[in-house]
Every structure is written in structure tokens, then in C-alpha cells.
Amino acid sequence: ELTAYRDVRRLPAGSRLQVEGGVCRVRKYWDFPPPDWIRYGKSSEYVEHFAHVFTQAVTDRLRGRSIAMELSGGMDSAAIAAVASASAATSGCALRAFTVTTNYLFVEDEEGHYAAIVASHLSIPHVQCELGTHSLFARFGSSELRTAEPSAVPHLGLSFDVMAQLSRAGARVLLSGQGGDEVLGHSSAYLAHLMRAGLLRELSVEVTAHLRRTGSWRGTGTLRKWLPGNNQRTEPSCPAAFSSRLTYT
């Protein structure tokens, strides 16, 4: 709830501020529903269930006549684009894809190349915005880039220009694949949750499946720390262009 300002507080997510008789109360009006265990007999059934929920989530957001989307060369945004394209054919909304590229800075960057392949395959108009044409902290002190709290985002100007372009195109909805890895990727916190909850059978099933799938204890978090010889620190991988300039301490 803390902000950069001493006398300003932030409302928690899914909450409202209610003032009655000079008394302020924060009341929660929504929260994520408690997770239910989903167990199927076949792996294909999980895929079918996810495809249904994913399609429903995307189509539910195709409201309006013009829909914009952030399109990268990765799987997350491409999957969203595929579902949105199929649904737009029946709903009648127009799609437009935007990709931020860095070819000016890194000629080996292929983000725009693969994004263009996806857009072409789905017949979605595609606009590429070059990051290298915007200097770091460009227009940083201008009123149009003023944020609710101090920000140190070096390319805020580019983000503003892209959003302004979306607005001029009539888009009121922006689809994005941001956060897909965090939501769908394997989390060691899940295994820790099973252990704390005493769900040892489920824990055994998940750990066994992880070992069969990866052949390694890597990714099991707390469980991996209990194994001998697994506490050594490993340096993160780094692009060759930068590795010579970095020193790990």
C-alpha cells in the first residue's frame, strides 16, 4: 500500500475506499476464487481444458470495433493473436498488431521477423516500432510523460508514442502476452505449497512428473536445496556482447 509519497497510500487490489461520517474504511469487493484441484486421467484432457479456457478469455475481451495487440516473435502473443484472429472473423472487429524491434541497436534481433510471419499468416495488419530511434529518457520531463509516481523507465517516450498510435487507430482494447511465462511456467512455489499443506500424495506425483519431464531436480526450489551438492551458486547466462563487461561478485 506504500507509495513514493509519505501521505499517499495505494488501495489494495480488488478493494474500494468507503467514507462515512468522516471515517475511512477499506473494503475488499473481489478476490481470486479459491483454486480447485483439476485432475484428469489423460494429459490431452488438460490441453483441451486449457484451450477452452484460453479461447474464452481472449474472445471475452474482443469488445469494440478496433482491437490492438502487442505481437512479439514468441509463443504467448502469437497464441493470443491466433485465437483473436479466428474470433474476429465472426465478431467483425478489426485487429492491428504492433511490435517493438531493436534492429537499429542489434542487427541480429529477429523479433520483428517472426512477428511479421505470424501477422502475415493470420492476415493481421502489422506495424513495427523501432526502439533505437528513441533515445534513453527522451522527453522525460514533459507533461505528457508524467506518471502517478516517479518512474525510471528509459523508454517511456516510446511506450507513449505506441499507445498514442493505438488510440489514433481507434483501438480501445490492447491484448498482450506479457506475463505468460509467470502464469503458465512451472513454479517451485507450487511444490512448496503442496508440502506446507500436507498434500504429500500430490507432491509426490508432481515431483515424479517433473523428474520424468526434465531429468533434473532443477526447478524444484526448496526441495532441491535439501539435496547434497545443490547449493553452489551458478552465474546467469548473458549475451556475449555484454559478458565481457560484467563482473560477478
Side-chain angles (χ1 to χ4, degrees), residues 22-245:
V23 179
C24 297
R25 293 185 177 88
V26 176
R27 301 185 183 276
K28 200 168 189 63
Y29 65 84
W30 185 86
D31 201 354
F32 285 104
D36 294 326
W37 293 103
I38 299 175
R39 294 299 181 198
Y40 291 124
K42 299 179 181 179
S43 299
S44 59
E45 293 177 299
Y46 291 102
V47 177
E48 292 173 3
H49 189 163
F50 171 78
H52 170 73
V53 174
F54 181 69
T55 301
Q56 187 179 44
V58 174
T59 54
D60 183 56
R61 286 154 178 80
L62 299 180
R63 302 171 184 177
R65 300 180 60 183
S66 180
I67 307 295
M69 64 180 64
E70 295 177 343
L71 183 61
S72 70
M75 296 176 59
D76 300 330
S77 60
I80 293 174
V83 173
S85 177
S87 300
T90 56
S91 65
C93 63
L95 302 177
R96 183 181 298 269
F98 292 80
T99 303
V100 175
T101 63
T102 59
N103 297 98
Y104 182 82
L105 300 173
F106 303 101
V107 294
E108 64 272 18
D109 174 39
E110 296 183 316
E111 191 88 6
H113 169 71
Y114 289 110
I117 292 177
V118 174
S120 175
H121 178 74
L122 299 175
S123 300
I124 299 175
H126 185 216
V127 177
Q128 297 195 23
C129 307
E130 174 55 50
L131 178 67
T133 58
H134 290 68
S135 59
L136 295 176
F137 300 102
R139 312 196 312 275
F140 197 67
S142 63
S143 59
E144 64 185 10
L145 299 185
R146 186 174 299 162
T147 56
E149 295 186 60
S151 172
V153 179
H155 292 295
L156 193 59
L158 173 63
S159 299
F160 178 88
D161 292 343
V162 172
M163 295 304 161
Q165 192 171 357
L166 300 183
S167 179
R168 289 193 297 270
R172 292 297 179 266
V173 175
L174 175 63
L175 302 178
S176 172
Q178 294 288 343
D181 293 339
E182 291 80 0
V183 173
L184 300 178
H186 174 77
S187 171
S188 59
Y190 171 60
L191 300 180
H193 164 73
L194 295 179
M195 185 164 52
R196 287 193 300 269
L199 301 173
L200 301 183
R201 179 180 177 276
E202 287 79 4
L203 176 63
S204 175
V205 171
E206 295 295 342
V207 171
T208 301
H210 174 80
L211 292 175
R212 288 176 177 174
R213 183 173 62 252
T214 67
S216 170
W217 286 92
R218 184 182 297 275
T220 57
T222 303
L223 299 178
R224 184 168 173 255
K225 293 180 181 179
W226 292 349
L227 300 176
N230 280 285
N231 292 319
Q232 293 87 351
R233 180 188 177 198
T234 57
E235 296 180 355
S237 59
C238 181
F242 301 106
S243 59
S244 61
R245 311 176 200 172

